[in-house]
Amino acid sequence: MAFNIASSPHTHSRRSTSDIMRTVILCTALGVAAQWYFFGWGVLIQILLASSTALISEAAVMKLRKRPVLPYLRDNSALLTGVLLGIAIPPLAPWWITVIGVVFAIVIAKHLYGGLGQNLFNPAMVAYVVLLISFPVQMTTWLPPSSLAASPVSLIDSLYAVFTGFTQDGYSVHQLKTSFDGVTMATPLDTLKTSLTTGHTTTEILANPVFSVIAGIGWEWVNIGFLLGGLVMLKMRIIQWHIPAGMLGSLFVISTVAFMIHPDATASPLIHLFSGATMLGAFFIATDPVSASTTVKGRLIFGALIGLLVYLIRTWGGFPDGVAFGVLLANMCVPLIDYYTRPRTYGH
């Protein structure tokens, strides 16, 4: 029998980058299913469009860089970027919005910095912020939940709306935003933010039919779906708990203190935790191993900083949700966070 001697590390992981990315994509399934159930076929159309555009863009860039195409496509990193961006885009946004965003994410936010492992920021969130700033109307056109919609939007109508701007019967996307009582619907966070600025109390705002027991109708289940998917990733050790715990804990503590001080002018902690992109950001966006902090203390600080920024932007910023901005601003602080949280050298 041969006795093999090898240098450290002695513990090896059999998970490849491709396996990890594929697992993350599969773990979004519950959240995507809830999003499709409440907001229609446009959710799946945007994800498929974004995913195919991401693969085409990745292949084109690899050709231009004179590198083999298939190995880079098989690592599933471009596919994951497309899926995450497709989830974040409104279901009936024009097709060109998705194409522009994905091309920007792959070409500029990823490969301009050298490709996988070299990007300073999360590519999907960079593209989302660029789209949100450049096309605010299209990026904030979310449909009302299916239970409040004036008429259901079929798969064919969704395809027509995404690629032409109108359904088969000639209804525009703006007309599809109206609820069964003829009121143009907005997302729960947008409704809350706008109503608070006009002097309404939180109790009055929560009487709006867009809100449910925990948070907004549909959005609470979407966040629960992504929460369950995130817990699966924690169980499988695809991600570590520090960043989600830091972000959700920070957001919960800050919103609880503010709600206790002024309950009529601030949202409850449950609304903050189960609205918008909170759970998607905590488990699938902020945990990006390339752009996040690398030390244990640093990951907790990184997550807590995102939670703080999300609350500040939602409360006083110009946008109803602040997850994408919070993640990108925290990405800027990663070198500083890592520098001051480096562990002591063994034996020092």
Side-chain angles (χ1 to χ4, degrees), residues 299-310:
R299 286 192 288 266
L300 288 170
I301 296 172
F302 176 78
L305 177 60
I306 295 175
L308 171 63
L309 291 170
V310 168

Side-chain angles (χ1 to χ4, degrees), residues 17-75:
T17 300
S18 175
D19 291 336
I20 293 174
M21 298 294 179
R22 182 168 53 250
T23 303
V24 174
I25 293 172
L26 292 175
C27 287
T28 64
L30 288 175
V32 170
Q35 202 166 322
W36 163 74
Y37 178 81
F38 285 100
F39 300 104
W41 290 98
V43 173
L44 302 183
I45 294 171
Q46 296 293 354
I47 293 174
L48 290 174
L49 178 60
S51 301
S52 57
T53 305
L55 294 176
I56 294 171
S57 301
E58 183 87 354
V61 172
M62 289 298 102
K63 278 288 187 181
L64 289 174
R65 297 179 66 182
K66 297 181 179 180
R67 294 189 179 183
V69 174
L70 287 180
Y72 287 92
L73 292 182
R74 288 171 180 165
D75 69 13

Side-chain angles (χ1 to χ4, degrees), residues 45-187:
I45 294 171
Q46 296 293 354
I47 293 174
L48 290 174
L49 178 60
S51 301
S52 57
T53 305
L55 294 176
I56 294 171
S57 301
E58 183 87 354
V61 172
M62 289 298 102
K63 278 288 187 181
L64 289 174
R65 297 179 66 182
K66 297 181 179 180
R67 294 189 179 183
V69 174
L70 287 180
Y72 287 92
L73 292 182
R74 288 171 180 165
D75 69 13
N76 293 321
S77 61
L79 183 61
L80 177 60
T81 298
V83 169
L84 294 177
L85 188 57
I87 290 171
I89 291 177
L92 298 187
W95 64 270
W96 49 268
I97 289 282
T98 305
V99 172
I100 290 173
V102 173
V103 171
F104 190 92
I106 299 298
V107 177
I108 304 298
K110 180 181 178 182
H111 285 288
L112 189 64
Y113 290 96
L116 180 63
Q118 305 297 321
N119 48 286
L120 301 178
F121 305 98
N122 184 286
M125 290 301 96
V126 172
Y128 178 81
V129 168
V130 168
L131 291 176
L132 187 61
I133 294 173
S134 303
F135 311 103
V137 175
Q138 291 83 357
M139 288 298 292
T140 54
T141 308
W142 283 87
L143 297 179
S146 56
S147 60
L148 300 178
S151 59
V153 183
S154 65
L155 173 59
I156 301 299
D157 283 335
S158 298
L159 287 169
Y160 268 87
V162 170
F163 290 99
T164 69
F166 297 90
T167 65
Q168 281 183 300
D169 298 326
Y171 291 105
S172 67
V173 176
H174 179 73
Q175 290 173 313
L176 295 174
K177 286 181 64 178
T178 58
S179 65
F180 58 84
D181 57 2
V183 178
T184 300
M185 301 295 292
T187 62

